[in-house]
Amino acid sequence: MSKQSVYKLTGKSPEEVKKSFIHYMGDKNATSKQIKDAANSRYAKIDTIEEVCILCQKYCETKNVFNVIDVSKIVKISESLTKIIEEGSEQGVIKELKNTRSYINKYRDFLLFCANLSEETLDSTTPYEFADDPDKPFIAEEKFNEIVELLFRKKNIILQGAPGVGKTFLAKKIAYQLIGMKKDENIETVQFHQSYSYEDFIQGIRPTTTGEFKVRNGIFYYFCEIAKEHPDETYVFIIDEINRGNLSKIFGELMMLIEFDKRSPRYALKLTYGEQDSPRFYVPENVYLIGCMNTADRSIAIVDYALRRRFAFCDVEPEFGDSFKHFLGTSLSKDFVDELCNKVNRVNDIIRSSSSLGKGLEIGHSYFCQLGSLDNEQDWWHSICKFELFPYLREICFDNEELCNELCHILSD
């Protein structure tokens, strides 16, 4: 795959456009980024279908459909196939023409997707610097840089904190800073859950459309393979809700392979589902992992000490300082912002000092970042309290109604 942005088609050769289309099929239409399977599908072979070549020659003066990136011309080809189908023919021929039309329509969707991407998204050379970011997290610049340096050294970190402290948002900014630019194609994000498995993440046996069962590679496997193709670039893999999955089961051999000093072919291993002649797998040194962990959920926690040793843990705390107040001050009055911050800080002080709660259950600042169009700041505040903060406080104080009432009273007073 070219180092140029995958979905920037201008100036690409037909073969490069075809590669981008294959990537799109794996990226947007297959469960585990099955790019190699997409490459072997009929969708990727539409440039060899006779009817398509004839219509391309008629409307586009070229026989190769991947030489055409004008959506309107692809729509014409699709409409012509529809007309041929409606005119009727042998049943087998009609079925094949309908299949061909579906392939063309998928290529049309691909071109529309590329056309709708913003120039900033397509531009893989947009530099990123936290200090200059107008939409940066409220975290102090010194702490932000400290986390970036830690990730660079350790290669694996987990951002842990209470609900609403912006862990996932912060992870994306850390990835940009480490890469040095806003290059989303070098970043992948997944969310773990109780049903997530090794087969989804690395490799497993999956059914095909023909009813067979084949070994298919998972999303992290493909991510690493792409990173190996571009060793001079930085790739960041973000795992949201990392503590919701069965980590020992999901990571498997990665328990060893993600260690910072084992990122080379020298430590490559044969994977669980690998065939006898399958290549050994390793995690390249240009791949970095960021996990996000919610410390408020009592029912789940990372208890695997082997995994703990492989990650550095960074606390992400609620931020109600000057930068947060400045953000709210664009839509809310100064007195109201000060009152809001004072109330939440008082509640967080009590939560933090409570023996039954603790700092991992504090109220985060993200609850208050969706300002929208405000008609009445008091109504906005009461709505957040009633439908978001009070239910959360009742949940964490499930065995202490008196404490819950005290906290809710502070917020509503």
Side-chain angles (χ1 to χ4, degrees):
M1 189 66 62
S2 170
K3 290 186 180 182
Q4 184 184 19
S5 179
V6 175
Y7 298 124
K8 191 171 185 177
L9 303 183
T10 305
K12 281 188 174 180
S13 68
E15 188 59 34
E16 289 172 328
V17 172
K18 182 175 182 177
K19 285 183 179 179
S20 294
F21 178 53
I22 292 170
H23 185 92
Y24 168 83
M25 290 301 299
D27 190 19
K28 305 299 176 184
N29 301 278
T31 303
S32 296
K33 279 206 165 185
Q34 298 142 357
I35 297 173
K36 291 183 179 178
D37 288 343
N40 295 322
S41 70
R42 290 297 305 276
Y43 291 98
K45 299 175 182 177
I46 54 176
D47 55 332
T48 64
I49 299 175
E50 184 178 359
E51 290 84 356
V52 174
C53 294
I54 293 172
L55 292 173
C56 277
Q57 184 67 52
K58 179 179 179 180
Y59 294 115
C60 313
E61 298 182 350
T62 177
K63 288 187 177 181
N64 191 338
V65 68
F66 295 118
N67 218 358
V68 184
I69 59 174
D70 185 333
V71 177
S72 62
K73 291 182 178 179
I74 297 300
V75 169
K76 273 190 176 182
I77 293 174
S78 177
E79 290 174 346
S80 294
L81 287 170
T82 299
K83 187 176 180 181
I84 295 171
I85 291 169
E86 290 175 346
E87 288 175 353
S89 184
E90 296 179 12
Q91 194 63 35
V93 175
I94 290 176
K95 181 179 179 181
E96 189 59 36
L97 286 171
K98 286 182 177 180
N99 288 337
T100 300
R101 182 178 60 183
S102 71
Y103 306 148
I104 285 294
N105 288 342
K106 187 60 71 174
Y107 183 61
R108 174 205 62 199
D109 295 343
F110 160 70
L111 294 180
L112 285 170
F113 174 81
C114 294
N116 288 333
L117 288 176
S118 66
E119 282 302 313
E120 181 178 349
T121 303
L122 289 172
D123 186 2
S124 62
T125 60
T126 303
Y128 180 82
E129 182 59 49
F130 178 79
D132 302 326
D133 187 352
D135 188 34
K136 57 175 168 282
F138 302 120
I139 188 174
E141 184 176 348
E142 182 181 355
K143 183 174 181 179
F144 178 85
N145 291 331
E146 182 182 25
I147 295 174
V148 174
E149 286 297 322
L150 180 61
L151 176 60
F152 181 74
R153 175 177 63 82
K154 186 73 173 178
K155 293 192 179 295
N156 314 306
I157 65 170
I158 286 179
L159 304 176
Q160 60 179 1
V165 293
K167 296 180 288 293
T168 309
F169 180 68
L170 175 61
K172 193 70 170 285
K173 300 295 184 177
I174 291 171
Y176 285 157
Q177 185 75 16
L178 193 68
I179 295 169
M181 60 184 68
K182 291 184 176 181
K183 197 165 186 180
D184 288 326
E185 61 263 38
N186 286 29
I187 303 171
E188 186 60 81
T189 304
V190 298
Q191 186 178 76
F192 280 0
H193 49 77
Q194 288 87 341
S195 299
Y196 207 84
S197 68
Y198 176 93
E199 289 76 11
D200 299 312
F201 195 56
I202 303 176
Q203 192 178 77
I205 297 175
R206 296 296 191 195
T208 66
T209 54
T210 59
E212 301 175 303
F213 285 84
K214 291 185 177 180
V215 174
R216 287 186 172 177
N217 298 320
I219 188 169
F220 187 73
Y221 183 102
Y222 277 124
F223 189 77
C224 289
E225 293 303 294
I226 293 172
K228 290 174 188 176
E229 294 177 8
H230 309 298
D232 296 331
E233 296 188 24
T234 298
Y235 288 79
V236 181
F237 198 94
I238 300 172
I239 305 173
D240 194 25
E241 302 287 359
I242 189 170
N243 54 324
R244 286 189 173 274
N246 184 332
L247 297 179
S248 297
K249 180 180 178 183
I250 294 172
F251 276 82
E253 299 92 339
L254 288 186
M255 282 292 197
M256 185 189 86
L257 298 180
I258 62 173
E259 289 193 66
F260 74 94
D261 59 347
K262 302 216 172 27
R263 303 292 194 90
S264 74
R266 177 184 173 188
Y267 294 97
L269 296 176
K270 180 74 72 176
L271 295 179
T272 303
Y273 291 96
E275 302 289 344
Q276 186 63 33
D277 57 347
S278 297
R280 293 174 178 267
F281 177 77
Y282 70 95
V283 179
E285 61 180 355
N286 59 332
V287 169
Y288 297 81
L289 276 75
I290 303 177
C292 299
M293 185 174 81
N294 188 344
T295 54
D297 198 321
R298 298 169 183 272
S299 63
I300 48 179
I302 293 181
V303 294
D304 194 311
Y305 293 106
L307 193 69
R308 275 191 174 275
R309 188 174 65 80
R310 287 156 174 82
F311 282 84
F313 287 74
C314 307
D315 289 330
V316 183
E317 300 172 347
E319 298 285 347
F320 295 100
D322 292 340
S323 58
F324 176 74
K325 290 181 178 180
H326 177 74
F327 169 77
L328 290 187
T330 59
S331 301
L332 304 171
S333 66
K334 182 181 182 303
D335 290 343
F336 183 81
V337 171
D338 289 339
E339 182 183 5
L340 180 157
C341 291
N342 287 336
K343 287 180 177 180
V344 178
N345 281 329
R346 285 174 59 195
V347 167
N348 280 344
D349 286 343
I350 296 172
I351 292 175
R352 190 165 51 249
S353 61
S354 171
S355 58
S356 61
L357 299 177
K359 67 178 297 183
L361 297 173
E362 293 176 283
I363 294 173
H365 51 267
S366 295
Y367 283 104
F368 316 105
C369 290
Q370 296 180 356
L371 297 172
S373 55
L374 286 174
D375 294 327
N376 186 296
E377 56 190 25
Q378 289 293 342
D379 289 344
W380 170 81
W381 170 249
H382 290 313
S383 177
I384 292 176
C385 286
K386 180 178 179 180
F387 298 108
E388 299 181 60
L389 300 184
F390 292 172
Y392 172 67
L393 293 174
R394 283 193 290 269
E395 175 66 25
I396 65 173
C397 301
F398 67 97
D399 58 349
N400 193 335
E401 185 176 353
E402 182 179 346
L403 177 59
C404 179
N405 291 336
E406 179 188 355
L407 299 177
C408 291
H409 177 72
I410 293 173
L411 294 174
S412 59
D413 186 15

